[in-house]
Amino acid sequence: MTTRLVRDTAELRSLPRDPAARRAVVMTMGALHEGHATLIREARRLAGPDGQVVVTVFVNPLQFGPNEDLDRYPRTLDADVALAEKSGADAVFAPSVAEVYPGGEPEVRISAGPMGERLEGAHRPGHFDGVLTVVAKLLHLSRPDTALFGQKDAQQLAMIRRMVRDLNFPVEIVGVPTVREADGLALSSRNRYLSAADRASALALSRALTAAAGAADRGPSAVREAARAVLDGAATLEPPVVLDYLALVDPADFTEVPAGFTGEAVLAVAARVGTTRLIDNIVLDFTPGERS
């Protein structure tokens, strides 16, 4: 398979496509890694041999705050195309900022609403407005039957599902489980910023989630306590793990679950290690008699 690099909307819309087959889209900001490869392979499986898989590569300026890493965010398009090809993509759509926002920053954009002001939204004001605006645009431009996103960005996935449901987008949203390295660190394009010492400290995030999972049979309060104990210890490391939030939330709206909650919940964590901000999460089942 030869993956075609597409740089503008007209070329994207001219891609040969069997109208009876499915198009699956994987949206990324580039700097692709094995987590993205897993998404692309799953897209290939869902699209089938006659379908089409399109990977979008676009570093979206609307979702970065004024003191965030837009300028230094890694841009590795040649390597991204190679990984996409190896993983089964038919095309990579890598538009310029001017192609996506031809009139400059859009006057009209998607509002994430109250759900977008919690957790990540509280720490990154306006972030989800920018995410949902670009996802909406890319869904319109690529016109997929299915779009796939990673569970690592759990709140983002929940927000996109809510947008698609609330605004009647004709697309199926599929979440794909987080891919981890052998030591447990969730794969992320930002991991390349970590020094060896940073990385050793960063492993506290996945350790906290593992400890929480082990306490799930004792309920939400025990889960919070187990994770917090690991992260409190990590605050004394060098470099320290500086916690932004640790929250056990309902995946439907990302509000904190009460002590007697039953059903699935997401334990989400965000922290800074050195100059790098990392997020991670785990889905836990509090249905009586079940554990995740």
Side-chain angles (χ1 to χ4, degrees):
M1 173 182 291
T2 299
T3 298
R4 181 171 170 180
L5 177 61
V6 177
R7 302 306 297 259
D8 61 57
T9 303
E11 188 179 3
L12 175 65
R13 290 183 172 168
S14 71
L15 288 175
R17 180 180 181 184
D18 180 351
R22 295 179 67 81
R23 172 181 279 180
V25 167
V26 175
M27 295 186 190
T28 82
M29 292 205 301
L32 303 188
H33 49 65
E34 181 58 27
H36 297 109
T38 299
L39 286 167
I40 298 166
R41 289 192 292 267
E42 179 63 9
R44 179 80 272 161
R45 187 187 71 80
L46 293 175
D50 299 323
Q52 188 175 78
V53 174
V54 176
V55 177
T56 69
V57 173
F58 180 66
V59 181
N60 175 36
L62 292 193
Q63 69 192 68
F64 287 81
N67 298 313
E68 294 184 345
D69 59 347
L70 174 61
D71 291 338
R72 73 167 183 148
Y73 195 87
R75 288 151 170 93
T76 58
L77 184 57
D78 289 345
D80 294 344
V81 173
L83 184 145
E85 182 170 280
K86 183 178 179 180
S87 304
D90 296 288
V92 170
F93 178 47
S96 66
V97 173
E99 180 72 18
V100 176
Y101 303 119
E105 287 199 9
E107 293 283 335
V108 176
R109 59 186 74 186
I110 301 289
S111 170
M115 186 174 168
E117 296 172 358
R118 299 173 187 135
L119 299 189
E120 282 297 288
H123 287 269
R124 305 177 68 186
H127 170 69
F128 285 119
D129 291 357
V131 168
L132 295 184
T133 298
V134 78
V135 169
K137 287 180 72 77
L138 291 172
L139 287 174
H140 286 312
L141 295 176
S142 62
R143 301 175 182 174
D145 299 289
T146 304
L148 296 91
F149 298 88
Q151 176 65 36
K152 187 181 78 70
D153 296 291
Q155 190 174 3
Q156 172 180 280
L157 174 60
M159 294 294 314
I160 292 168
R161 282 178 165 151
R162 188 66 186 236
M163 177 185 73
V164 164
R165 187 185 76 182
D166 287 355
L167 301 183
N168 300 104
F169 280 71
V171 62
E172 176 192 18
I173 302 299
V174 174
V176 177
T178 301
V179 178
R180 299 183 180 277
E181 301 197 38
D183 58 9
L185 187 68
L187 285 173
S188 169
S189 299
R190 290 185 169 93
N191 288 355
R192 66 188 65 199
Y193 300 157
L194 298 171
S195 68
D198 292 342
R199 185 184 178 92
S201 294
L203 294 176
L205 273 67
S206 58
R207 287 203 306 271
L209 299 180
T210 299
D217 60 341
R218 292 184 280 120
S221 296
V223 160
R224 291 184 176 101
E225 290 170 5
R228 177 69 67 175
V230 174
L231 294 168
D232 285 349
T236 67
L237 298 175
E238 184 55 47
V241 175
V242 181
L243 189 65
D244 275 357
Y245 61 77
L246 173 71
L248 184 63
V249 297
D250 187 330
D253 59 9
F254 269 66
T255 56
E256 287 274 359
V257 303
F261 178 82
T262 59
E264 280 196 349
V266 174
L267 182 65
V269 61
R272 296 182 184 276
V273 182
T275 61
T276 304
R277 186 174 185 273
L278 300 171
I279 63 173
D280 204 347
N281 70 86
I282 189 171
V283 178
L284 299 171
D285 194 339
F286 295 102
T287 303
E290 298 290 334
R291 287 185 64 184
S292 293

